[in-house]
Amino acid sequence: MTKSYTEESMVLESQSTANWTDECHSSQDEHDMDKKNGMHDDMQKEMEDDEEGMNRLDEDDDDEDDEEEEDGDDTKPKRRGPKKKKMTKARLQRFKMRRIKANARERNRMHGLNDALESLRKVVPCYSKTQKLSKIETLRLAKNYIWALSEILRSGKSPDLMSFVQALCKGLSQPTTNLVAGCLQLNPRTFLPEQSQEIPPHMQTASASFTAHPYSYQTPGLPSPPYGTMDSSHIFHVKPHAYGSALEPFFETALTDCTSPSFDGPLSPPLSVNGNFSFKHEPSSEFEKNYAFTMHYQAAGLAGPQGHASLYASSSQRCDIPMENIMSYEGHSHHERVMNAQLNAIFHES
DNA sequence: TAGGCCATCTGGTCCT
DNA sequence: AGGACCAGATGGCCTA
């Protein structure tokens, strides 16, 4: 393993590996993990040395004071300033010990972070055990998801399918976009830039109106593609509007869609007071059948009409969804449970 | 083979 | 002093 060597670590390197070769009561867990992760041979050797050093720490610690006084080299002129402590064997070992413990903590911390990320993967659309979203894509999708749901809550209107998916995929890489589309049983090409002209006029309108995502990834500081390639403001060449007003057309369109012949239900908020969160987009043509997509979250026990009823006109007014079109999230029931819990929390906390 | 993603180590900084 | 957090560096794995 190549490391960024510091003075201290180089000393460590040269002294420790040569001297501490005896008893090794190393942690089997760490070794297994390292092997699993394809740890370098010399890295493993290093770890072994570290652990040996740890085991011998107690013995050597007793000698520390004596060794610290061994500084007596009279031939060199004395240096001013704070005396730099000599890196004695004991100090080296203490340093190594600290380093080992710090490494372990850091590993645990990162594992905790990864666990949290894994939890996040499970509650955003497109959870798959087999094809995991990358960390960065998970965060981006989650952010888009939260944003989209917030807008639904804020406006109290159902978004149309295409715009919702576009919102989800905003700023995501092409592969992730495909993945999300696949999970939602959509054809990703239907909302990719080069295919935009194939989108039915009403969908183009809806999509175009959803282009003012305030947190677009099309910013100079971000890495070059594939990131940021899905910003629909450049997809549809529509001028971004200011946040807030920008979404209104999107939800207005959704409203229109919901009252169009494609929807047999009345005007309906996607998320009712009872926590019934549902989209409906019944395909009205062969073309649209490709986009069959639904979400249906049943959140029992959420605040009743007295709670957040004011947000939405009536909990009984919903666009219900044909169950045959239910989205194909892996672990959908789990997803639902988590969502229910989250909605519960949201409604009960506010 | 290049690029993306990831796990790990490491040193620095801040806080208790 | 020690722990948490962070960012940089590095090397392994995987895929187009």
Side-chain angles (χ1 to χ4, degrees):
Chain A
M1 171 186 166
T2 314
K3 299 194 295 191
S4 49
Y5 282 98
T6 61
E7 206 178 13
E8 219 169 20
S9 64
M10 286 176 74
V11 174
L12 274 173
E13 198 77 50
S14 58
Q15 292 190 355
S16 65
T17 54
N19 293 337
W20 305 335
T21 54
D22 295 331
E23 353 144 1
C24 173
H25 310 292
S26 57
S27 144
Q28 191 58 45
D29 286 350
E30 273 192 353
H31 278 207
D32 290 344
M33 187 178 63
D34 294 338
K35 281 170 189 167
K36 189 183 73 183
N37 292 323
M39 182 181 250
H40 233 247
D41 283 346
D42 47 357
M43 192 200 270
Q44 278 202 43
K45 172 78 166 61
E46 209 174 348
M47 287 294 290
E48 284 174 12
D49 291 338
D50 287 350
E51 288 151 4
E52 287 156 10
M54 216 157 97
N55 293 329
R56 299 187 41 154
L57 184 65
D58 289 342
E59 316 165 16
D60 290 331
D61 235 6
D62 299 332
D63 306 329
E64 181 184 0
D65 290 341
D66 298 337
E67 293 189 23
E68 291 235 9
E69 300 306 324
E70 282 178 8
D71 220 350
D73 190 351
D74 294 336
T75 58
K76 290 179 184 173
K78 284 193 174 179
R79 281 199 317 181
R80 290 170 180 265
K83 184 181 175 185
K84 193 179 179 183
K85 281 195 174 180
K86 188 184 175 184
M87 189 52 81
T88 65
K89 200 172 173 183
R91 286 193 68 228
L92 279 174
Q93 287 166 356
R94 269 222 301 268
F95 175 82
K96 270 180 99 67
M97 173 75 155
R98 274 206 309 274
R99 203 52 263 173
I100 290 166
K101 285 165 77 177
N103 290 347
R105 281 196 306 273
E106 179 67 6
R107 270 199 302 273
N108 287 336
R109 197 180 69 85
M110 295 310 295
H111 290 165
L113 196 60
N114 290 340
D115 288 346
L117 209 49
E118 186 59 31
S119 303
L120 186 59
R121 281 192 186 100
K122 290 176 181 172
V123 297
V124 296
C126 197
Y127 175 65
S128 167
K129 283 178 185 170
T130 53
Q131 196 174 357
K132 287 203 315 188
L133 289 176
S134 71
K135 294 179 175 182
I136 185 72
E137 296 289 84
T138 300
L139 292 175
R140 286 173 174 161
L141 179 57
K143 187 214 70 178
N144 289 348
Y145 191 37
I146 291 168
W147 180 80
L149 293 179
S150 304
E151 282 309 311
I152 290 169
L153 284 172
R154 189 181 63 78
S155 68
K157 297 170 186 171
S158 305
D160 75 280
L161 166 68
M162 293 304 295
S163 300
F164 185 77
V165 176
Q166 280 179 11
L168 283 186
C169 294
K170 203 155 298 217
L172 300 185
S173 68
Q174 178 77 58
T176 309
T177 299
N178 294 341
L179 192 60
V180 172
C183 285
L184 302 184
Q185 296 183 341
L186 279 173
N187 180 353
R189 286 190 297 176
T190 58
F191 53 91
L192 290 181
E194 52 272 25
Q195 272 78 24
S196 61
Q197 53 272 57
E198 297 174 16
I199 299 175
H202 74 282
M203 285 187 170
Q204 289 194 27
T205 307
S207 305
S209 66
F210 206 58
T211 57
H213 198 306
Y215 311 115
S216 162
Y217 294 112
Q218 293 288 67
T219 53
L222 281 167
S224 50
Y227 297 128
T229 55
M230 286 307 294
D231 186 304
S232 49
S233 65
H234 106 247
I235 290 175
F236 294 100
H237 309 289
V238 174
K239 251 191 196 170
H241 337 69
Y243 178 57
S245 61
L247 287 167
E248 293 304 335
F250 162 67
F251 288 103
E252 290 302 333
T253 308
L255 183 67
T256 306
D257 280 352
C258 200
T259 53
S260 74
S262 314
F263 293 86
D264 46 14
L267 297 182
S268 62
L271 179 58
S272 79
V273 203
N274 292 326
N276 294 322
F277 173 57
S278 54
F279 292 109
K280 177 176 182 178
H281 185 103
E282 287 188 34
S284 57
S285 67
E286 273 307 306
F287 180 85
E288 288 183 59
K289 280 176 187 171
N290 294 330
Y291 318 136
F293 160 73
T294 60
M295 292 177 75
H296 193 102
Y297 295 114
Q298 293 289 347
L302 292 185
Q306 312 309 319
H308 292 260
S310 58
L311 269 177
Y312 306 106
S314 161
S315 63
S316 63
Q317 292 184 341
R318 283 201 314 276
C319 287
D320 286 320
I321 305 167
M323 291 306 288
E324 64 269 21
N325 288 339
I326 287 293
M327 61 185 176
S328 61
Y329 293 169
E330 248 181 65
H332 180 71
S333 58
H334 169 77
H335 192 254
E336 274 188 352
R337 281 197 304 275
V338 176
M339 179 62 78
N340 290 345
Q342 288 177 338
L343 289 174
N344 260 315
I346 290 169
F347 279 95
H348 284 146
E349 280 170 14
S350 54

